[in-house]
Amino acid sequence: MRLKITYIALLLSVLAIGQNKELLYDFNDLPQTLNQNPGALVSFDKHFGIPLLSQFHLNVGSSGISAYDIFKDDGVNINTKIRNAIFFLSKRDYFTLNQQLEVINGGWRKNETTYFSYGIYEEADIIAYFPKDLAILLWDGNADYIGQSFSLGDVSFKGEVLSVFHFGINKQVSKKLTIGARAKLYSSIANVNSTNNSGTFTTRPSTTGDNVYEHVFQFLDGKAQTSGIASLLADDNSDIKEDIKTLRKRVFLGGNLGLGVDVGFTYQPKEQHVITGSLLDLGAVFHTKDVETYHLNGSYTTEGVELVFPPLINAEGTTPYWQNLEDEFDENIKIDTLKGNYVTWRSTKFNASYRYNFGKENGEDCDCYAGKKPYQNAVGLQLFSIFRPRQPQFAATAFYYRRLFDFLRLKLTYTVDDFSYHNIGLGASFHIGSFNMYFMGNNLSELQNISRAQSVSLQFGINLIFDSDE
Amino acid sequence: MKKPKFLLLVTIIASILLCSSCVSDVDFDQAENILPTPVFEASLIFSNLEGPSFVDDVTQDEVLILTDTTRLEYINSDFFVDQLAKTELTFEFTNSIDRNFNIDLVFVTDADEQRYLAQIDVPSGQYDAPIEVTSSFLIEEPELSTFEEATKLIYRITLPASTNPIDATTLGSLKLESKATFYFEL
């Protein structure tokens, strides 16, 4: 067995925006591909990353609107632009943030057909749908909306920070098929989620005729589940060091634990045709520690304070009308704090691709793995989907992959998703001696003015590769 | 290794340049001008007094003054004091009693010191032909700050001297409906 490559990964991602890692997926020259598909074709014998520096990754996306829409210098009053945006966006629009930091990443080849990989990474994942009705109510007030209902159902968000301990097995079952699986142990640092809310608030002309309006809170049912947050907020000492100590404990399995799995495969019916697929983060976190759930529910209608002029006529009106109104409200609209355990499902991601390889080089300067001469070109299609509270998000990518002079691998992508229909990305991976560097960015057409982009991605990484053959 | 280092350097410089020059035509200082101005309408007080309500149970004479009070905690709340730009109070009276009334709506502090007074005269109506009176009061600075010191509202009905006083058999009612329009600047 010849030891071909040792990876010391020094990946410094400057900025990566865009939930979908379409440039990294099926980019078999880089070990990070294994985190996107545990059943990817592995082209190296060993890799490991420098703790905390092996990968930093940040995604921010906003469907429907960009910073440019609000902040463009066009002389229009910003409040007008914000109001226009509120009405332009729908409750299906969302803001997302996904960030990952690799603590440890490594792997080794057990034999010709089996590759093990392992690691720890920290991940923050937030999605918030645009609460349109609430936004209109807060921005405009109810005065222009007498008789119209504002729905609490528009409120839907989910946020979690967790650390992930993982171990993956990659197995070449036959010449045509490689499969892989990765077991994941989640340690939740903090979690908050509020989905499936319902109920309405309406101001309408009084139906009894007693007063001008009646305010109707109807079938309010809202829930926000939290774990790992109550203790941080309730902290009596304002010493942030204590909080950091608590958080550090949770990073290393001291939080609420969960289990998950990644699965994936590569199927190569003919040498030139490659089909891959993967399901990532098929799992759940079980929240049992430091859990607090806030539950709002009830119905209440009020027409204001009715003054009844008690029969005992004196100068002092002693009926506690206001207190009565508050009490009635509290009796009917309840906000309970519950301590019950709950389960959150991770946002499962789905990837699939078809690749057609063509154009072999006849030269002999081949550093190719598994004794095969690599194809110089590939074209293909990729699909990405992530399951989210309201509906899955989809992205479709067409790509062209090219090896140039053996030391340069390029991948050009065109992606269609919720954020844009003209997202062009470029990934370049340089392999010179023991040195590897890659650079990936999408939404290149928007880079001239990043504020126009609803999502942007720039990734940059360095690997040092030692090849025993050289 | 020289070549890779050079490439690395070029890439880093290129990305710094890209990122520093990639925001144009935007003015983030506009954020300072963000000012939501929601307008909320809320029910205020209401009441409906039948004719005999104006008769003293003991003496069976018409009363001179009828009054009732409620707290309105929110007027003096921090949120109102800080964010309320102006407010308009609207009082709608429907009088089907053959008797005129002088109405005082007095906003007072906890110590019953007057902070705002709305006065409305309601002419006499007929049982089958009620009279309707709607009065609006726009409260802006500098009055507003004084108004915001109030925590209670007194609804005071004064019955001016009349040759046709109300007795236990008088038909009709004096009805009050009201609302407040709050103009906030957040």
Side-chain angles (χ1 to χ4, degrees):
Chain A
M1 285 298 292
R2 50 180 187 162
L3 178 70
K4 266 168 111 187
I5 302 166
T6 300
Y7 270 83
I8 296 175
L10 213 173
L11 310 176
L12 302 168
S13 294
V14 176
L15 183 69
I17 301 177
Q19 182 72 19
N20 179 10
K21 294 180 181 171
E22 76 272 20
L23 284 158
L24 200 54
Y25 187 80
D26 202 24
F27 203 115
N28 294 332
D29 304 289
L30 296 167
Q32 282 69 32
T33 300
L34 278 174
N35 288 334
Q36 299 304 306
N37 179 4
L41 293 175
V42 181
S43 58
F44 36 82
D45 287 343
K46 196 173 183 181
H47 78 273
F48 63 89
I50 291 177
L52 296 172
L53 293 176
S54 58
Q55 196 193 11
F56 178 73
H57 166 85
L58 177 69
N59 293 339
V60 182
S62 151
S63 75
I65 192 166
S66 69
Y68 184 77
D69 296 332
I70 302 293
F71 289 103
K72 65 184 156 193
D73 196 7
D74 58 357
V76 177
N77 185 297
I78 188 162
N79 295 302
T80 308
K81 286 184 281 194
I82 291 174
R83 190 169 185 277
N84 290 345
I86 288 171
F87 283 90
F88 173 75
L89 292 172
S90 87
K91 65 175 187 176
R92 295 194 176 281
D93 284 308
Y94 53 85
F95 306 91
T96 60
L97 182 146
N98 183 268
Q99 170 269 328
Q100 287 178 7
L101 174 70
E102 260 180 19
V103 181
I104 293 172
N105 182 22
W108 76 96
R109 181 171 293 286
K110 185 183 172 243
N111 56 40
E112 286 281 5
T113 60
T114 310
Y115 191 85
F116 293 124
S117 58
Y118 61 89
I120 305 172
Y121 65 89
E122 169 274 334
E123 177 173 358
D125 190 41
I126 295 169
I127 178 165
Y129 285 92
F130 181 63
K132 180 160 184 156
D133 275 16
L134 201 64
I136 293 174
L137 181 62
L138 292 179
W139 191 266
D140 275 4
N142 66 349
D144 290 338
Y145 303 90
I146 302 301
Q148 287 184 42
S149 296
F150 294 94
S151 172
L152 188 66
D154 284 4
V155 176
S156 182
F157 60 89
K158 184 169 154 169
E160 60 186 348
V161 181
L162 41 70
S163 57
V164 184
F165 296 71
H166 59 88
F167 185 85
I169 301 172
N170 181 283
K171 177 89 184 162
Q172 193 180 353
V173 181
S174 68
K175 273 198 165 177
K176 290 181 177 175
L177 183 66
T178 300
I179 57 171
R182 181 177 307 283
K184 286 179 163 176
L185 181 60
Y186 304 115
S187 178
S188 171
I189 297 161
N191 177 278
V192 57
N193 75 80
S194 182
T195 56
N196 300 321
N197 298 309
S198 61
T200 57
F201 168 69
T202 315
T203 300
R204 64 187 183 205
S206 167
T207 48
T208 60
D210 287 340
N211 202 352
V212 185
Y213 294 132
E214 60 186 16
H215 305 285
V216 186
F217 299 88
Q218 195 161 31
F219 307 126
L220 292 186
D221 188 1
K223 211 186 257 187
Q225 296 174 312
T226 72
S227 85
I229 290 171
S231 68
L232 295 181
L233 293 180
D235 224 351
D236 289 336
N237 66 346
S238 53
D239 191 0
I240 203 152
K241 278 183 195 162
E242 280 300 311
D243 290 339
I244 289 171
K245 209 180 277 179
T246 310
L247 290 174
R248 202 185 296 151
K249 228 177 280 171
R250 289 183 196 159
V251 169
F252 295 102
L253 299 178
N256 286 297
L257 301 181
L259 287 171
V261 68
D262 296 351
V263 291
F265 71 92
T266 301
Y267 180 60
Q268 214 164 354
K270 283 177 187 151
E271 209 186 329
Q272 287 178 277
H273 300 271
V274 184
I275 295 164
T276 75
S278 72
L279 268 178
L280 308 176
D281 283 320
L282 204 60
V285 178
F286 307 95
H287 301 271
T288 56
K289 286 186 264 184
D290 199 11
V291 174
E292 249 180 35
T293 295
Y294 310 101
H295 187 201
L296 162 81
N297 77 315
S299 297
Y300 185 61
T301 300
T302 177
E303 292 172 291
V305 176
E306 181 176 16
L307 300 182
V308 294
F309 291 81
L312 184 69
I313 297 166
N314 57 23
E316 295 289 320
T318 48
T319 314
Y321 295 111
W322 184 255
Q323 190 60 45
N324 293 349
L325 183 74
E326 284 188 336
D327 290 348
E328 244 181 83
F329 187 87
D330 290 345
E331 263 168 50
N332 289 286
I333 307 281
K334 292 209 182 327
I335 300 177
D336 300 316
T337 303
L338 312 168
K339 297 282 184 187
N341 300 341
Y342 67 95
V343 176
T344 52
W345 293 92
R346 302 246 33 226
S347 293
T348 300
K349 283 144 280 240
F350 167 77
N351 283 292
S353 76
Y354 166 74
R355 180 156 57 113
Y356 174 70
N357 296 321
F358 61 98
K360 259 188 185 174
E361 196 184 53
N362 294 317
E364 53 183 300
D365 57 338
C366 166
D367 73 336
C368 44
Y369 40 88
K372 284 181 199 162
K373 277 182 192 161
Y375 285 95
Q376 298 298 307
N377 304 278
V379 290
L381 292 170
Q382 289 172 195
L383 283 176
F384 169 82
S385 178
I386 180 165
F387 297 91
R388 290 303 202 178
R390 203 157 267 164
Q391 62 186 9
Q393 296 157 14
F394 293 98
T397 299
F399 71 88
Y400 172 62
Y401 170 90
R402 170 77 179 163
R403 280 175 80 107
L404 273 178
F405 317 117
D406 199 50
F407 73 88
L408 179 60
R409 291 111 211 233
L410 295 169
K411 187 174 176 180
L412 185 70
T413 60
Y414 169 73
T415 301
V416 174
D417 59 17
D418 286 351
F419 304 115
S420 127
Y421 294 120
H422 40 78
N423 182 351
I424 289 168
L426 181 66
S429 182
F430 300 89
H431 300 253
I432 305 166
S434 57
F435 186 88
N436 163 240
M437 176 177 75
Y438 74 80
F439 184 88
M440 293 176 173
N442 77 9
N443 246 323
L444 295 178
S445 58
E446 303 286 9
L447 277 186
Q448 282 304 309
N449 189 349
I450 213 165
S451 67
R452 271 178 203 269
Q454 291 169 234
S455 77
V456 190
S457 163
L458 273 176
Q459 269 181 304
F460 171 59
I462 305 164
N463 298 311
L464 291 177
I465 303 162
F466 299 100
D467 191 338
S468 60
D469 287 350
E470 290 187 14
Chain B
M1 289 297 285
K2 274 203 166 168
K3 202 172 179 186
K5 268 185 187 164
F6 173 72
L7 274 173
L8 171 62
L9 206 63
V10 166
T11 313
I12 290 171
I13 291 168
S15 37
I16 290 168
L17 284 177
L18 264 175
C19 281
S20 56
S21 67
C22 52
V23 177
S24 56
D25 308 332
V26 293
D27 176 12
F28 287 103
D29 291 342
Q30 290 180 84
E32 288 168 19
N33 302 328
I34 295 175
L35 185 72
T37 52
V39 182
F40 283 90
E41 299 234 322
S43 290
L44 216 53
I45 56 168
F46 64 101
S47 86
N48 193 9
L49 296 169
E50 303 287 336
S53 309
F54 298 94
V55 177
D56 190 305
D57 283 347
V58 182
T59 64
Q60 292 298 305
D61 290 335
E62 185 186 79
V63 297
L64 295 173
I65 290 176
L66 208 54
T67 179
D68 203 355
T69 305
T70 178
R71 295 188 69 79
L72 289 176
E73 302 274 357
Y74 53 83
I75 296 176
N76 189 233
S77 68
D78 288 348
F79 182 75
F80 271 62
V81 170
D82 295 342
Q83 317 288 357
L84 191 65
K86 60 177 178 178
T87 183
E88 185 170 46
L89 310 175
T90 304
F91 300 95
E92 299 176 21
F93 292 89
T94 308
N95 184 14
S96 56
I97 303 176
D98 184 14
R99 182 73 166 89
N100 63 320
F101 301 97
N102 297 335
I103 308 293
D104 294 325
L105 292 144
V106 198
F107 292 83
V108 299
T109 62
D110 279 339
D112 290 322
E113 289 164 11
Q114 179 179 312
R115 286 296 176 262
Y116 187 82
L117 172 66
Q119 290 189 300
I120 304 147
D121 290 337
V122 180
S124 55
Q126 295 300 318
Y127 182 65
D128 50 4
I131 190 150
E132 290 183 13
V133 177
T134 300
S135 286
S136 291
F137 300 85
L138 183 64
I139 308 173
E140 291 177 287
E141 292 296 359
E143 286 182 290
L144 185 68
S145 296
T146 317
F147 170 76
E148 285 168 341
E149 288 168 16
T151 54
K152 296 191 284 187
L153 169 58
I154 301 169
Y155 176 24
R156 187 164 62 217
I157 307 164
T158 307
L159 290 78
S162 164
T163 52
N164 182 23
I166 297 172
D167 60 39
T169 62
T170 302
L171 292 175
S173 66
L174 175 67
K175 187 178 179 209
L176 165 64
E177 297 168 59
S178 67
K179 65 169 183 173
T181 308
F182 299 113
Y183 298 86
F184 292 103
E185 285 182 359
L186 304 181

